[in-house]
Short mmCIF file of all heavy atoms in Angstrom, two decimals:
data_model
loop_
_atom_site.label_atom_id
_atom_site.label_comp_id
_atom_site.label_asym_id
_atom_site.label_seq_id
_atom_site.Cartn_x
_atom_site.Cartn_y
_atom_site.Cartn_z
N ARG A 81 83.29 124.01 122.73
CA ARG A 81 81.83 123.98 122.82
C ARG A 81 81.16 123.25 121.67
O ARG A 81 79.95 123.32 121.51
CB ARG A 81 81.24 125.40 122.94
CG ARG A 81 81.95 126.33 123.89
CD ARG A 81 81.86 125.85 125.32
NE ARG A 81 80.52 126.00 125.87
CZ ARG A 81 80.16 125.62 127.10
NH1 ARG A 81 81.07 125.04 127.88
NH2 ARG A 81 78.94 125.80 127.53
N ARG A 82 81.92 122.56 120.85
CA ARG A 82 81.33 121.82 119.73
C ARG A 82 80.98 120.42 120.20
O ARG A 82 81.57 119.87 121.14
CB ARG A 82 82.31 121.76 118.56
CG ARG A 82 82.66 123.12 117.99
CD ARG A 82 83.64 123.01 116.84
NE ARG A 82 83.04 122.37 115.67
CZ ARG A 82 83.69 122.17 114.52
NH1 ARG A 82 84.97 122.57 114.41
NH2 ARG A 82 83.10 121.59 113.50
N THR A 83 80.00 119.82 119.53
CA THR A 83 79.55 118.49 119.89
C THR A 83 80.12 117.45 118.94
O THR A 83 80.55 117.76 117.82
CB THR A 83 78.02 118.40 119.88
OG1 THR A 83 77.53 118.71 118.57
CG2 THR A 83 77.41 119.36 120.89
N CYS A 84 80.11 116.21 119.39
CA CYS A 84 80.64 115.11 118.56
C CYS A 84 80.04 113.82 119.07
O CYS A 84 79.38 113.77 120.12
CB CYS A 84 82.17 115.07 118.65
SG CYS A 84 82.79 114.69 120.32
N ASN A 85 80.27 112.75 118.32
CA ASN A 85 79.96 111.40 118.78
C ASN A 85 81.17 110.52 118.51
O ASN A 85 82.23 111.01 118.10
CB ASN A 85 78.69 110.85 118.13
CG ASN A 85 78.79 110.76 116.61
OD1 ASN A 85 79.86 110.55 116.06
ND2 ASN A 85 77.66 110.92 115.94
N ALA A 86 81.04 109.25 118.74
CA ALA A 86 82.19 108.35 118.63
C ALA A 86 82.72 108.26 117.20
O ALA A 86 83.90 107.92 116.99
CB ALA A 86 81.81 106.95 119.12
N LEU A 87 81.90 108.57 116.20
CA LEU A 87 82.32 108.42 114.81
C LEU A 87 82.82 109.72 114.18
O LEU A 87 83.30 109.70 113.04
CB LEU A 87 81.15 107.89 113.96
CG LEU A 87 80.66 106.48 114.28
CD1 LEU A 87 79.44 106.14 113.44
CD2 LEU A 87 81.76 105.46 114.03
N THR A 88 82.72 110.82 114.89
CA THR A 88 83.11 112.11 114.32
C THR A 88 84.57 112.10 113.85
O THR A 88 85.47 111.67 114.57
CB THR A 88 82.91 113.23 115.35
OG1 THR A 88 81.54 113.26 115.75
CG2 THR A 88 83.29 114.57 114.78
N ASN A 89 84.78 112.58 112.62
CA ASN A 89 86.11 112.67 112.00
C ASN A 89 86.80 111.31 111.85
O ASN A 89 88.01 111.24 111.73
CB ASN A 89 87.04 113.60 112.80
CG ASN A 89 86.65 115.07 112.64
OD1 ASN A 89 85.78 115.40 111.84
ND2 ASN A 89 87.29 115.94 113.39
N SER A 90 86.03 110.23 111.86
CA SER A 90 86.58 108.90 111.60
C SER A 90 86.21 108.48 110.18
O SER A 90 85.33 109.08 109.55
CB SER A 90 86.02 107.89 112.60
OG SER A 90 84.68 107.54 112.28
N PRO A 91 86.85 107.44 109.63
CA PRO A 91 86.50 107.00 108.28
C PRO A 91 85.05 106.55 108.14
O PRO A 91 84.51 106.53 107.04
CB PRO A 91 87.46 105.83 108.03
CG PRO A 91 88.62 106.10 108.92
CD PRO A 91 88.04 106.74 110.15
N LEU A 92 84.40 106.20 109.25
CA LEU A 92 83.03 105.70 109.20
C LEU A 92 82.00 106.78 109.48
O LEU A 92 80.80 106.47 109.57
CB LEU A 92 82.85 104.56 110.22
CG LEU A 92 83.80 103.37 110.06
CD1 LEU A 92 83.45 102.29 111.07
CD2 LEU A 92 83.75 102.80 108.65
N ALA A 93 82.42 108.03 109.60
CA ALA A 93 81.49 109.11 109.90
C ALA A 93 80.47 109.28 108.78
O ALA A 93 80.80 109.16 107.59
CB ALA A 93 82.25 110.41 110.11
#
Side-chain angles (χ1 to χ4, degrees):
R81 316 296 289 178
R82 298 179 68 179
T83 60
C84 64
N85 60 31
L87 295 175
T88 301
N89 288 353
S90 76
L92 303 183

